[in-house]
Amino acid sequence: MPLFLPKYPQLLKWLYPKRLSRLPGENTIYLSFDDGPIPEVTPWVLQELKKFDATATFFCIGDNVQKHPEIFQQVLDAGYAIGNHTFHHLNGWKTPTSEYLQNTEKAQQLMADYSQHQNQVISAKFFRPPYGKIRNSQASSLVRNGYKIVMWDVISGDYNSQFSAEKCYQNVVQNTVAGSCIVFHDSQKAFPNLQEILPKILQYYAEKGWEFGSLTDALSAGQ
């Protein structure tokens, strides 16, 4: 099994301090979901978040937005923050920079055009590199084009079929602190684990009196 680190390495935070991983916030955590929107899974996530009046950030694959605009509309209607996860879920280490940037812009333009057509606006350009793999040249170009690169502080590992749901749950609760940006996946591969852990995690932090924020919340609060 490849090395899995539920906590984003401190060395990478030091090397790339402008890439978001943890945000200032007293008793606030930032839930995020990668790889959607897709039928069944994304609507289920929205229902679970609504039960706890929790907000979140969805890092969408452009191809999934194109295939399932009605699900993307549900995310927009719920008022959640939207992020870019490239159009084809590209691995930046294996993709030429020009192709990577074009693929990212294609996804951004699609989401922006769709939201504007619905009289809704994506107010910020958040970007999370698939697999967490991005070259410095790619990152620098995206930042120059107005993107905010978002990594994570804690990753659940829900996508890993070799992990039990309990393992994924412990990955989160043992590593999360105030301000943590946490990664889940609204994908079919992650759904078996996500179905078990998301309700428990929402309940756990709600009972602690913590709040669930989105990246837009953090920026609007000047964090």
Side-chain angles (χ1 to χ4, degrees):
M1 182 187 301
L3 177 66
F4 175 83
L5 299 174
K7 192 78 169 175
Y8 195 67
Q10 191 62 41
L11 175 61
L12 295 180
K13 293 183 181 183
W14 179 77
L15 287 172
Y16 306 109
K18 293 185 179 181
R19 299 181 188 179
L20 295 180
S21 59
R22 189 187 302 171
L23 298 158
E26 192 171 329
N27 296 339
T28 299
I29 56 177
Y30 298 86
L31 308 182
S32 63
F33 298 86
D34 290 3
D35 294 356
I38 62 169
E40 184 181 357
V41 183
T42 305
W44 178 85
V45 170
L46 297 177
Q47 291 173 3
E48 292 302 307
L49 293 173
K50 187 176 181 180
K51 292 177 184 178
F52 292 86
D53 195 27
T55 187
T57 304
F58 286 78
F59 286 87
C60 298
I61 294 174
D63 191 45
N64 283 338
V65 173
Q66 184 167 268
K67 290 175 179 175
H68 310 293
E70 73 286 356
I71 309 297
F72 184 61
Q73 184 64 53
Q74 290 179 31
V75 180
L76 290 174
D77 289 344
Y80 297 128
I82 300 295
N84 187 328
H85 206 43
T86 73
F87 198 91
H88 291 117
H89 203 262
L90 296 183
N91 182 331
W93 294 358
K94 298 180 178 180
T95 309
T97 294
S98 59
E99 179 183 344
Y100 194 80
L101 297 177
Q102 290 171 5
N103 200 266
T104 299
E105 284 296 331
K106 182 179 180 181
Q108 192 70 28
Q109 193 62 55
L110 174 69
M111 293 188 292
D113 287 349
Y114 183 84
S115 61
Q116 290 169 8
H117 180 70
Q118 301 298 321
N119 295 318
Q120 294 166 297
V121 177
I122 297 175
S123 58
K125 294 171 73 174
F126 299 122
F127 178 78
R128 174 174 287 150
Y131 315 102
K133 296 178 179 179
I134 187 170
R135 298 180 185 180
N136 288 341
S137 59
Q138 295 163 346
S140 297
S141 294
L142 289 172
V143 169
R144 285 197 298 271
N145 288 333
Y147 288 91
K148 190 72 174 178
I149 296 177
V150 183
M151 304 306 285
W152 57 85
D153 189 41
V154 177
I155 187 165
S156 66
D158 53 1
Y159 60 88
N160 193 327
S161 62
Q162 298 184 56
F163 286 172
S164 66
E166 180 61 24
K167 167 68 172 174
C168 297
Y169 176 76
Q170 294 299 329
N171 285 340
V172 175
V173 299
Q174 291 180 2
N175 292 285
T176 296
V177 297
S180 287
C181 182
I182 307 168
V183 176
F184 303 95
H185 294 79
D186 53 330
S187 67
Q188 287 291 350
K189 183 166 62 173
F191 200 28
N193 282 332
L194 186 66
Q195 277 186 295
E196 291 196 42
I197 67 172
L198 184 58
K200 290 173 60 178
I201 287 168
L202 288 165
Q203 184 72 41
Y204 177 80
Y205 287 103
E207 289 179 352
K208 285 168 66 78
W210 286 28
E211 296 182 353
F212 306 100
S214 73
L215 296 181
T216 303
D217 297 332
L219 290 183
S220 65
Q223 297 174 355

